[in-house]
Amino acid sequence: MLDGKKVLFSGMQATGNLTLGNYLGALKNWVSISDEYETFYSVVDMHSITVRQDPAELRRRARTLLTLYIAAGLDPEKNCIYYQSHVSGHAELSWILSCYTYMGELSRMTQFKDKSAKHADNINAGLFTYPVLMAADILLYQSDVVPVGIDQMQHLELTRDIAQRFNSIYGDVFTIPEAYIGKVGAKIMSLQDPAKKMSKSDENPNGSIYLMDDPDTIIRKFKRAVTDSEAHVHYCDEQPGIKNLIDIYCACTGKTPADAEAEFEGKGYGDFKLAVGESVVSVLRPLQERFADLSKNKDYLDSMIKANAEKAQYFSNKTLRKVQKKIGFPERVR
Ligand code: TYM
């Protein structure tokens, strides 16, 4: 609890271009529930360097991501929006927690297995201990709730295990966080392969809708989306391409799958795909416009970045000092 409110933490990597999956699975939910919580939304740039990055590009993407958080509707006066690398406690707590995390636990993480297969020439220790840094992000703020897409559930379970293990040794140090998974859009799949999640790092750009795609590109990608030969807009596991499009449509319009089935009864996939594309365009257009306006306002963004980093540093220090004391690090002389 902070100021009588429960605490919410979440973050996104500043790697690649943000996709509709990131928006519908995470960012959109952040905006809708943020008023109920004391919130911390981090641009997790330290996580990004587990894969080689071009420095100028990483800096640019981090700034873009932070601006997108605000453009999506998170007011930086009310929500603590900051860069992970500006708050030293993330790395400090991560080291401590890594001494309470087992190699076996980390080697079971599917994201580690996937990423090490993909970057076989650079399987660095950071890629392996990545989930410990994520646990530190969350536990540093005594977070009660963590809104994420389904793909992050395994990391969240590990965070809970680490926190419980630590608490069982030292008493109630950490709040045990709960995941918040949205009702719709928690796993948006690739438009080109509905068995694969839509991902920032997909080599095929037609599989993903990027938040900065223009309307023509969005409509074109939906027209090309892989479906099936059933010619029937039906929400079922046997039609994964159509199911994914219905999920996207519902997440963008607030309709239910039953509404969508009724609306497109007897109509071809062409009409349906166009309607899905248009629903996405109408969600992304205002976000893109706000992004363009905000990007011009450098001073405002800079002052907000400074103030929020200080706020995050202040709150994270409280937990860090508590943890350091519990494990027996010498007290600071004031
Ligand atoms: P990242 O940057 O890969 O993704 C950011 C958020 O977007 C969600 N997401 C999706 N949701 C639905 N459908 C998809 N296709 C899809 N793709 C991505 C993710 O679940 C996530 O919520 N390790 C995290 C970043 C992180 C973090 C944290 C998150 C670091 N520390 C602490 C929460 C709390 C990651 O790589 O997310």
Side-chain angles (χ1 to χ4, degrees), residues 310-328:
E310 282 164 9
K311 182 176 170 187
Q313 185 79 43
Y314 173 79
F315 284 111
S316 59
N317 267 343
K318 287 190 173 191
T319 303
L320 194 62
R321 299 290 169 256
K322 189 172 166 187
V323 170
Q324 289 169 333
K325 193 169 173 192
K326 288 280 182 187
I327 53 181

Side-chain angles (χ1 to χ4, degrees), residues 9-13 21-22 25-26 44 47 130 134 137-138 146 148-149 151-152 185-188 197-198 200:
F9 181 93
S10 203
M12 284 196 196
Q13 285 203 65
N22 298 125
V44 293
H47 278 89
Y130 176 113
M134 181 161 162
D137 299 341
I138 296 168
V146 184
V148 281
D151 63 332
Q152 294 301 318
K187 192 165 189 193
I188 300 296
K197 77 163 186 175
M198 185 179 285
K200 285 181 262 193

Side-chain angles (χ1 to χ4, degrees), residues 66 70 76-77 81 299-309:
L66 187 135
I70 306 172
E77 308 272 340
I81 294 174
D299 292 347
Y300 166 73
L301 285 175
D302 286 345
S303 70
M304 189 285 299
I305 288 168
K306 184 167 183 287
N308 277 333

